[in-house]
Amino acid sequence: MAATIALLLSLLILGDAQQVLKLQNPRLMNCRFDKIYQFGDSISDTGNCIRETLCEVQSWCKRPPYGINFYQNVTGRCSNGMLIIDFIAVECGLPLLNPYKDENAEFRHGVNFAVAGSTAVSAEFLAENNIDNIGATNSSLSVQLDWMSSHFHTTCSPNCPEKLNNSLFLVGEIGGNEFNFGLLQGKTIEELRRIVPQVVQTIIHAVKRIIGFGATRIIVPGNFPIGCIPLFLTEFMTNNSTAYDEHHCLKDLNNFVIFYNRYLQQAIDELKKDYPNITLIYGDNYNAFMWLLENAVSLGFDNNSLQKACCGIGGEYNYNGHRSCGDPMVPVCVDPNTHISWDGIHFTQNAYSWLARWLIDDMLPKLNCQV
């Protein structure tokens, strides 16, 4: 798989979608998408954070070993290689999305507006709820939408509905960092449950705004089961065995994510009633990850490293918040393909490839594409 990904990557960087088609038969090609627009955070950022002054200063993802399997090239992706959005572009037969902040980039096939560390809600809303914005960026979802508006005014106005008719929009994953920040600052799950409606409503408002520009096919992903990742397994480690489920994930954290995801799904379902001609799809990141974790060994992952960071140091989960991946003397595992977690927070290229495969299988029937 690694060799295939490397070849696909070289072709996609060059924009040679036709050659990709000769290598495989991308399923999303049936949808005939000609552009993709991505909003989100570090799960999807392909280089915006490292082009923002404050974000760049504090970002780990700007330095090796990030990108070691992306032609050993640091691009701002918070992984060793490709992300879910990259694999979606591959499946569409399109070049990889360039970050909006890259002034020299070409955007004929879409734009990536995602910024590592971003939240759905504003920093002001977080402050009102006594949560510090520790993401080193103020490029929340509303800011990313403003970038989209500026981009469309120069590229498709006044015929945006016509020009965006064959575009795919991904609104997220976003709306996770506000909860991550809160948990790391001692907020209780009950306190965080109280801000779920505002976070979801912010995302729904964004979807409406995107529809207003002419979007017709939109994916809104939910959040991953944070109770399974090394960061929170380390932060909330306990000797109480009842705190963990059969996969050794923290039940309370995952139950909170389930609560949030259900709230988001219900809001999407309500929105569908107002826009019956728009294809709105919930991206089930939670179940995609749980499928990956349950089948990891048969997919080639190391059974002893399923919840250990590949790039990290110390402790049961090979994660230390004070000595992060990219810091001096923090080692990298021999083969990142055997790990799900890259740095204790984000996933490896291999994990993202399997997650993308599951998500595409799940979403493709709902996209109403020709088969």
Side-chain angles (χ1 to χ4, degrees), residues 22 27 55 111 177 220 247 260 277 295 317:
K22 294 177 183 177
R27 292 158 295 169
C55 200
V111 185
N177 278 331
V220 185
H247 305 296
Y260 167 82
N277 297 321
N295 294 278
Y317 307 102

Side-chain angles (χ1 to χ4, degrees), residues 325-342:
C325 180
D327 284 343
M329 305 303 291
V330 174
V332 181
C333 64
V334 174
D335 183 5
N337 286 330
T338 63
H339 284 61
I340 291 176
S341 177
W342 165 242

Side-chain angles (χ1 to χ4, degrees), residues 36-266:
I36 304 174
Y37 297 96
Q38 171 79 62
F39 304 85
D41 54 27
S42 58
I43 298 298
S44 309
D45 185 358
T46 56
N48 284 312
C49 171
I50 63 171
R51 291 175 171 85
E52 290 188 355
T53 304
L54 180 60
C55 200
E56 188 272 338
V57 169
Q58 297 193 24
S59 174
W60 299 309
C61 307
K62 69 180 180 182
R63 57 196 179 202
Y66 287 88
I68 57 171
N69 297 111
F70 199 101
Y71 282 106
Q72 298 187 352
N73 184 19
V74 176
T75 61
R77 287 169 172 81
C78 293
S79 180
N80 61 307
M82 294 169 70
L83 311 178
I84 290 174
I85 182 56
D86 295 319
F87 289 107
I88 288 176
V90 168
E91 287 279 353
C92 290
L94 296 174
L96 304 187
L97 294 187
N98 288 317
Y100 175 75
K101 288 283 189 176
D102 185 350
E103 296 176 355
N104 300 315
E106 186 272 312
F107 299 119
R108 281 185 303 140
H109 296 288
V111 185
N112 192 328
F113 300 106
V115 183
S118 66
T119 55
V121 298
S122 66
E124 290 77 15
F125 177 83
L126 292 176
E128 290 168 5
N129 287 272
N130 299 311
I131 298 174
D132 292 334
N133 178 14
I134 57 176
T137 180
N138 287 321
S139 298
S140 63
L141 184 53
S142 65
V143 173
Q144 295 177 30
L145 288 168
D146 288 342
W147 293 346
M148 175 200 70
S149 179
S150 297
H151 176 73
F152 286 161
H153 278 306
T154 59
T155 59
C156 71
S157 183
N159 299 315
C160 289
E162 179 183 342
K163 293 184 178 180
L164 298 175
N165 190 47
N166 294 318
S167 298
L168 175 65
F169 287 77
L170 293 101
V171 186
E173 177 265 359
I174 194 165
N177 278 331
E178 34 272 86
F179 305 123
N180 298 341
F181 298 164
L183 287 167
L184 295 173
Q185 293 169 42
K187 296 296 180 186
T188 66
I189 288 176
E190 190 54 44
E191 286 177 305
L192 295 177
R193 283 168 71 106
R194 289 199 285 269
I195 69 170
V196 164
Q198 183 61 40
V199 173
V200 169
Q201 203 49 48
T202 302
I203 294 170
I204 294 301
H205 174 75
V207 174
K208 290 180 179 178
R209 191 170 168 189
I210 290 165
I211 291 172
F213 273 95
T216 59
R217 285 184 280 188
I218 305 168
I219 295 170
V220 185
N223 286 342
F224 289 101
I226 59 174
C228 301
I229 69 171
L231 163 64
F232 288 112
L233 285 167
T234 300
E235 187 73 19
F236 296 104
M237 187 184 298
T238 174
N239 292 324
N240 179 7
S241 61
T242 63
Y244 300 92
D245 65 14
E246 66 273 24
H247 305 296
H248 194 71
C249 301
L250 290 161
K251 291 189 286 189
D252 284 351
L253 293 185
N254 280 359
N255 285 337
F256 169 73
V257 176
I258 291 170
F259 170 80
Y260 167 82
N261 285 343
R262 284 177 178 166
Y263 204 103
L264 178 62
Q265 285 177 273
Q266 290 169 0

Side-chain angles (χ1 to χ4, degrees), residues 275-334:
Y275 298 96
N277 297 321
I278 303 296
T279 300
L280 282 171
I281 299 172
Y282 170 73
D284 196 352
N285 281 338
Y286 189 100
N287 282 315
F289 183 89
M290 294 311 298
W291 169 85
L292 174 61
L293 187 59
E294 290 164 5
N295 294 278
V297 176
S298 65
L299 297 175
F301 293 90
D302 176 18
N303 188 48
N304 296 317
S305 304
L306 297 184
Q307 291 173 319
K308 293 182 179 179
C310 167
C311 181
I313 190 167
E316 186 173 340
Y317 307 102
N318 202 38
Y319 176 81
N320 182 335
H322 301 291
R323 295 185 65 190
S324 302
C325 180
D327 284 343
M329 305 303 291
V330 174
V332 181
C333 64
V334 174

